[in-house]
Amino acid sequence: MADVTIHTDGPIVVPTEGLELKGSDGSTIELPKGSAVALCRCGQAGSKPFCDGTHKNVGFENDPTK
């Protein structure tokens, strides 16, 4: 089972081992290289669905424990 981490005011980080992301049209989304991928939660990233750090500039705030 994969450990998924939801960062306060930031992305969701998911290990890439065995992960396959699909778009709403069913197409496969190519994963960046590395052992984990950060998925955008603020909706403002220029590289959606991946986080590019934009959440810091737009003031995204969310506590995933609430």
Side-chain angles (χ1 to χ4, degrees):
M1 180 181 282
D3 289 328
V4 175
T5 305
I6 304 172
H7 290 271
T8 299
D9 303 336
I12 298 172
V13 178
V14 182
T16 56
E17 184 177 344
L19 179 66
E20 184 176 47
L21 289 180
K22 299 273 187 180
S24 60
D25 63 357
S27 63
T28 300
I29 298 171
E30 186 175 340
L31 297 173
K33 293 184 181 191
S35 60
V37 65
L39 301 174
C40 175
R41 289 197 309 136
C42 75
Q44 302 300 310
S47 58
K48 288 181 211 135
F50 306 109
C51 176
D52 63 5
T54 299
H55 59 274
K56 297 172 193 169
N57 298 328
V58 299
F60 176 73
E61 293 183 355
N62 182 266
D63 182 349
T65 64
K66 294 182 180 179

